[in-house]
């Protein structure tokens, strides 16, 4: 199945099936399919809700692994480039070789990406995909946490708390800890005065992490990775 010729180069809107086809075609040995698909992928940042669709494909476990990985990579790259205006060391906005600034994602798409990304990350068993999703979360945290993402830490801590007593939730707990590490990394090189949110995270999380660490020290405990 291929996209109609007239839709391959300039696409203003897209649905998840079309995106899946484009990602598949980007692996095609046929340059007549691969070339237009790669061009469409390069322009995804200009398509409304493309990041939301990329996340859907990345999170769908019935989709071919390589396609999910490609979707995860594109999601990470677009969020890094287009989540917020990027500045150079001189304080001027970054632009491409033609002097154009990258488009910025709108608030509606951001509002769908944040909770969807956490949900996808918590359920992801594949390490390479999990790491890509975690890097995307870190990018968003740099710009949005805590002001625009106040429910992130409560969601992660709730997952850890519920999973600490339920061995079947080991994957979700592991991935929540990974996400929590990415949030803390936000403050890794900050001054003491800028670490207020980190101090709050430590105060909230340590009472939950202590019993978890005690479980992991048990030689008979194999439920967590």
């Amino acid at each position: 199945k291929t996209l109609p010729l007239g839709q391959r180069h300039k696409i203003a809107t897209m649905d998840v099936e079309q995106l899946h086809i484009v990602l598949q075609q980007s692996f095609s040995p046929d340059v007549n399919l691969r070339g237009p698909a790669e061009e469409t992928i390069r322009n995804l940042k200009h398509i409304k809700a493309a990041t939301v669709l990329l996340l859907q494909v990345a999170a769908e476990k019935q989709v071919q692994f390589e396609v999910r990985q490609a979707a995860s990579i594109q999601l990470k790259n677009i969020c890094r480039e287009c989540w917020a205006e990027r500045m150079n060391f001189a304080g001027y906005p970054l632009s491409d070789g033609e002097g154009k600034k990258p488009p910025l994602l709108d608030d509606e798409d951001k509002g769908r990406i944040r909770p969807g990304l956490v949900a996808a990350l918590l359920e992801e068993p594949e390490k390479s995909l999990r790491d890509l999703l975690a890097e995307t979360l870190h990018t968003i945290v740099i710009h949005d946490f805590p002001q625009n993402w106040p429910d992130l830490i409560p969601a992660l801590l709730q997952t850890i708390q519920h999973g600490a007593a339920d061995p079947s939730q080991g994957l979700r707990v592991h991935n929540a800890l990974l996400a929590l590490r990415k949030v803390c990394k936000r403050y890794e090189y900050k001054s003491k005065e800028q670490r207020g949110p980190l101090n709050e995270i430590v105060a909230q999380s340590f009472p939950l992490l202590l019993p978890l660490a005690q479980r992991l020290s048990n030689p008979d405990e194999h439920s967590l990775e």
Side-chain angles (χ1 to χ4, degrees):
K1 189 173 183 179
T2 63
L3 286 178
L5 286 171
Q7 295 182 17
R8 293 183 185 177
H9 296 275
K10 296 180 180 179
I11 300 178
T13 60
M14 179 180 285
D15 60 32
V16 71
E17 181 180 2
Q18 288 176 314
L19 177 59
H20 184 242
I21 293 170
V22 166
L23 292 169
Q24 280 185 319
Q25 290 177 352
S26 70
F27 295 101
S28 174
D30 184 349
V31 68
N32 294 314
L33 294 178
R34 189 177 67 253
E38 290 174 345
E39 181 180 348
T40 298
I41 289 172
R42 284 193 294 270
N43 287 293
L44 284 176
K45 61 188 176 184
H46 298 286
I47 300 175
K48 167 68 177 170
T51 47
V52 178
L53 299 179
L54 285 166
L55 180 57
Q56 289 180 26
V57 174
E60 180 49 66
K61 296 178 178 59
Q62 300 302 315
V63 170
Q64 180 183 356
F65 173 81
E66 288 77 11
V67 173
R68 295 183 65 206
Q69 187 173 50
S72 300
I73 291 170
Q74 293 305 317
L75 176 65
K76 175 178 71 72
N77 291 345
I78 293 175
C79 286
R80 183 175 58 189
E81 183 180 5
C82 304
W83 196 269
E85 189 171 49
R86 301 168 70 194
M87 302 292 182
N88 61 21
F89 290 110
Y92 295 101
L94 289 175
S95 58
D96 60 22
E98 299 178 353
K100 296 179 180 178
K101 293 191 295 185
L104 296 179
L105 299 178
D106 65 28
D107 290 340
E108 181 182 358
D109 288 356
K110 290 180 179 180
R112 296 170 67 184
I113 286 293
R114 283 187 289 258
L117 180 63
V118 173
L121 175 56
L122 291 179
E123 298 290 346
E124 184 50 61
E126 294 284 350
K127 183 181 185 304
S128 61
L129 299 181
R130 187 166 61 212
D131 289 347
L132 287 166
L133 295 173
E135 280 305 310
T136 303
L137 181 138
H138 180 242
T139 292
I140 299 173
V141 162
I142 290 173
H143 299 294
D144 283 13
F145 183 83
Q147 289 85 359
N148 296 326
W149 209 350
D151 55 347
L152 174 58
I153 295 302
L156 297 178
L157 295 183
Q158 185 179 52
T159 299
I160 295 169
Q161 184 176 28
H162 288 173
D166 184 354
S168 70
Q169 298 296 306
L171 176 65
R172 288 177 58 84
V173 172
H174 175 276
N175 293 355
L177 290 171
L178 173 62
L180 191 63
R181 170 71 186 99
K182 292 298 182 181
V183 178
C184 293
K185 187 179 178 182
R186 161 84 170 82
Y187 301 96
E188 199 165 23
Y189 301 107
K190 297 294 184 181
S191 65
K192 182 178 179 180
E193 292 74 19
Q194 295 175 303
R195 290 189 175 189
L198 178 61
N199 296 334
E200 293 180 21
I201 293 171
V202 171
Q204 294 175 44
S205 62
F206 268 39
L208 300 178
L209 298 180
L210 179 59
L212 193 60
Q214 291 172 335
R215 274 185 57 197
L216 291 173
S217 66
N218 183 344
D220 298 324
E221 178 57 62
H222 303 292
S223 62
L224 291 176
E225 297 183 29

